[in-house]
Amino acid sequence: MSTHAAIAAHTSRTVPGYLASVIAMPSAAGVLPSTPPRTSADPLATLGHSKVLDRGTTVFTEGDAAGAVFRVHSGVIRLHKMLPDGRRQIIGFLHTGDMMGLAFADQYLYTAEAVTATTVQRISRAELEAVMDAQPGFARKLLSATTSELMAAQDQMLLLGRKTASEKLASFLLRLSARTTAGRIVDLPMSRCDIADYLGLTTETVSRTVTKFKSARLIRILVDGKLELLDHDALTDLAGGF
Amino acid sequence: MSTHAAIAAHTSRTVPGYLASVIAMPSAAGVLPSTPPRTSADPLATLGHSKVLDRGTTVFTEGDAAGAVFRVHSGVIRLHKMLPDGRRQIIGFLHTGDMMGLAFADQYLYTAEAVTATTVQRISRAELEAVMDAQPGFARKLLSATTSELMAAQDQMLLLGRKTASEKLASFLLRLSARTTAGRIVDLPMSRCDIADYLGLTTETVSRTVTKFKSARLIRILVDGKLELLDHDALTDLAGGF
DNA sequence: CGCACAGTTGACAATAGTCAAACGATGTGG
DNA sequence: CCACATCGTTTGACTATTGTCAACTGTGCG
């Protein structure tokens, strides 16, 4: 179980807190050449300030006063919740462009930590509110992003409640591969323990299932935390149409 | 397992669909006497039309073209997703005031069915869009509601991924009781199978756990699908601080 | 009255968890 | 430069929680 366990961050949490909203709003860097000059630039671009975080750093902790939202500019962040005895459930992994901490309450509802070295942009609640007031379309963008995140959360409920270990791992790998443009190569920056706590399994079960997939020639482990999907179709069948 | 199983409604669903957003916007009936006349009345009140649904009726099915959102005026609705082999995961139960189907995509991502006799208000996407255009604050209300729903989904992930059968049932009963004002009496309109598919368990395990709670004097079964919480504190401990 | 169905209970099986040991990579200090 | 410590991962043996299959009970409805 979670190596983190130990003393659970069990602050008072009767009040609903901030929650994550993944906002797909790629930074200017990735603009397609064919795209005409955009009429509405990123309204958050000039707000707040950026921070560089080492691997393992905590961005905020469940129960903390929630004064700001964050946007990931590079790297991977994990969000998790904990039970009093230290059992951990990872709520999601955030990549470049994703936002976290968006909500209308006064405490964070989960902990955010850097899986890899990351840069995040901190935007205070006040600033965010100001943008929503100034730009009528912005709230709808946030709504759209939050809605997408909710969809993902519902898929995850199906996974956690009804899928077997193999199905969970297959789904996880396919989702990661769908996220990256690079065909069959998947980047796995997180530990087996992180994967386990995301899929509702133990490290041992994840490890055994990975070994099973290797033996069945479904995947191949590469160097540097990368992995190749050898049989996308078989994995898709396993994952249950997702 | 789900008695529903049989032939799974396995339509094409590569395109992301509509998703649920629970909108706490109590109807005029429940206005507090102390509340001053509200400046902004329910902007959806006059839209669409109401339908009365029998117990068991399907409102919409996963994969259907998503042309409208719905608001529950009375009764209880369940939302579920299915795997190709018929395994079912209930995503949530909706009560009076809750909305479903809100999203920015063209297919419903889950099925909605009436647990009890219900009345629902159907609002077309076009009408909803029009309200968002006309009332700048409305998108933010929807955002707030969607955000709350996402918080609930994240709690459910923790439950599904990390809690034991007893902890799941205790959490479930406490959530239901928190929803109703009537102290220790909880209304359980859904079947054991529904509860099982919501908690990621089987009917048999739910039944056994209920029996265990009865033996331990934690709960008492009443007539007509009602139940009394005899030891709220013990249940809270069991549920893991929630 | 009896059929149908939800719920309960029992016996047994299986998936995943627990505990433990060993392995490999990485980094530190002698 | 190598020994050693540490951490993440893998593998094994065993356990246990939950699922499966099946029978039975109780309740409501035709």
Side-chain angles (χ1 to χ4, degrees):
Chain A
M1 180 70 41
S2 319
T3 50
H4 307 254
I7 300 105
H10 188 222
T11 48
S12 64
R13 45 184 291 273
T14 47
V15 185
Y18 258 31
L19 53 82
S21 189
V22 174
I23 303 210
M25 214 174 275
S27 59
V31 176
L32 296 169
S34 59
T35 307
R38 288 181 293 176
T39 50
S40 72
D42 175 1
L44 302 179
T46 60
L47 297 179
H49 58 275
S50 282
K51 272 197 231 184
V52 179
L53 302 175
D54 287 340
R55 192 168 160 274
T57 309
T58 299
V59 185
F60 54 80
T61 302
E62 186 176 348
D64 280 359
V69 301
F70 295 84
R71 187 159 59 156
V72 180
H73 282 197
S74 72
V76 176
I77 296 276
R78 67 171 171 253
L79 309 180
H80 76 252
K81 283 171 158 286
M82 270 215 194
L83 290 171
D85 66 357
R87 279 174 289 173
R88 184 178 72 147
Q89 178 66 42
I90 291 184
I91 297 305
F93 293 105
L94 270 50
H95 299 254
T96 302
D98 294 341
M99 285 194 74
M100 56 187 172
L102 180 64
F104 306 95
D106 56 1
Q107 288 188 322
Y108 293 114
L109 265 195
Y110 46 75
T111 301
E113 295 165 337
V115 174
T116 63
T118 50
T119 55
V120 298
Q121 178 189 8
R122 183 186 189 282
I123 300 157
S124 75
R125 280 177 78 171
E127 287 174 312
L128 191 74
E129 294 286 337
V131 173
M132 282 201 271
D133 288 337
Q135 301 201 16
F138 186 65
R140 282 167 83 162
K141 276 189 188 169
L142 285 181
L143 176 57
S144 168
T146 306
T147 280
S148 296
E149 198 185 350
L150 184 55
M151 277 169 28
Q154 289 167 345
D155 277 328
Q156 189 70 352
M157 285 190 226
L158 177 62
L159 179 147
L160 291 169
R162 286 300 177 217
K163 289 187 180 178
T164 65
S166 293
E167 292 167 343
K168 286 176 176 179
L169 185 64
S171 301
F172 177 64
L173 294 177
L174 288 172
R175 276 189 218 162
L176 281 183
S177 91
R179 195 174 249 287
T180 65
T181 49
R184 307 141 50 96
I185 309 296
V186 173
D187 196 15
L188 272 186
M190 63 291 287
S191 70
R192 295 287 185 270
C193 179
D194 283 350
I195 299 172
D197 285 346
Y198 182 58
L199 300 179
L201 299 170
T202 58
T203 327
E204 292 93 331
T205 300
V206 171
S207 180
R208 279 185 247 271
T209 310
V210 168
T211 303
K212 214 173 66 178
F213 281 14
K214 279 194 289 189
S215 309
R217 306 283 169 195
L218 298 179
I219 62 173
R220 197 159 62 95
I221 304 295
L222 308 176
V223 292
D224 200 30
K226 296 202 190 308
L227 179 149
E228 183 179 358
L229 305 186
L230 297 176
D231 193 338
H232 203 279
D233 294 349
L235 285 171
T236 304
D237 284 351
L238 244 182
F242 178 86
Chain B
M1 178 71 42
S2 321
T3 51
H4 308 254
I7 299 103
H10 188 221
T11 48
S12 63
R13 45 183 290 272
T14 48
V15 185
Y18 257 32
L19 53 81
S21 190
V22 174
I23 304 212
M25 214 173 275
S27 57
V31 176
L32 297 169
S34 59
T35 307
R38 287 182 293 176
T39 51
S40 72
D42 175 1
L44 301 180
T46 60
L47 297 178
H49 58 277
S50 282
K51 273 195 232 185
V52 179
L53 303 174
D54 287 340
R55 192 169 160 273
T57 309
T58 299
V59 185
F60 53 79
T61 301
E62 185 177 349
D64 281 358
V69 302
F70 296 84
R71 186 160 59 157
V72 180
H73 282 196
S74 72
V76 176
I77 297 276
R78 67 172 170 251
L79 309 180
H80 76 251
K81 284 172 158 284
M82 268 214 194
L83 289 171
D85 67 356
R87 278 173 289 173
R88 185 178 71 146
Q89 177 66 42
I90 292 184
I91 298 305
F93 293 105
L94 269 51
H95 300 253
T96 301
D98 294 341
M99 285 194 75
M100 56 187 171
L102 180 65
F104 305 96
D106 56 3
Q107 287 188 321
Y108 293 114
L109 265 194
Y110 46 75
T111 301
E113 295 165 337
V115 173
T116 64
T118 49
T119 56
V120 298
Q121 178 189 7
R122 183 188 190 281
I123 301 158
S124 75
R125 280 176 79 171
E127 287 174 312
L128 191 74
E129 293 286 337
V131 174
M132 282 201 272
D133 288 336
Q135 302 201 17
F138 186 66
R140 281 167 85 161
K141 276 189 189 170
L142 284 181
L143 176 57
S144 168
T146 305
T147 281
S148 296
E149 198 185 349
L150 184 54
M151 277 169 28
Q154 289 167 345
D155 278 328
Q156 189 70 353
M157 286 191 225
L158 178 61
L159 179 147
L160 290 169
R162 287 298 177 219
K163 289 187 181 178
T164 65
S166 293
E167 290 167 344
K168 286 176 176 180
L169 185 64
S171 302
F172 177 64
L173 295 177
L174 288 173
R175 276 189 217 162
L176 282 184
S177 91
R179 195 173 251 286
T180 64
T181 49
R184 305 141 51 96
I185 309 296
V186 172
D187 196 14
L188 273 185
M190 64 291 287
S191 69
R192 296 286 185 270
C193 179
D194 282 351
I195 299 172
D197 284 347
Y198 182 58
L199 299 180
L201 299 170
T202 58
T203 329
E204 292 93 332
T205 300
V206 170
S207 180
R208 279 185 246 270
T209 309
V210 168
T211 303
K212 213 174 67 178
F213 281 14
K214 278 194 289 190
S215 309
R217 306 283 169 195
L218 299 178
I219 62 173
R220 197 158 61 96
I221 304 295
L222 307 176
V223 292
D224 199 32
K226 295 201 191 305
L227 178 150
E228 183 179 0
L229 305 185
L230 297 176
D231 193 338
H232 203 280
D233 293 349
L235 285 171
T236 304
D237 285 352
L238 243 182
F242 176 88

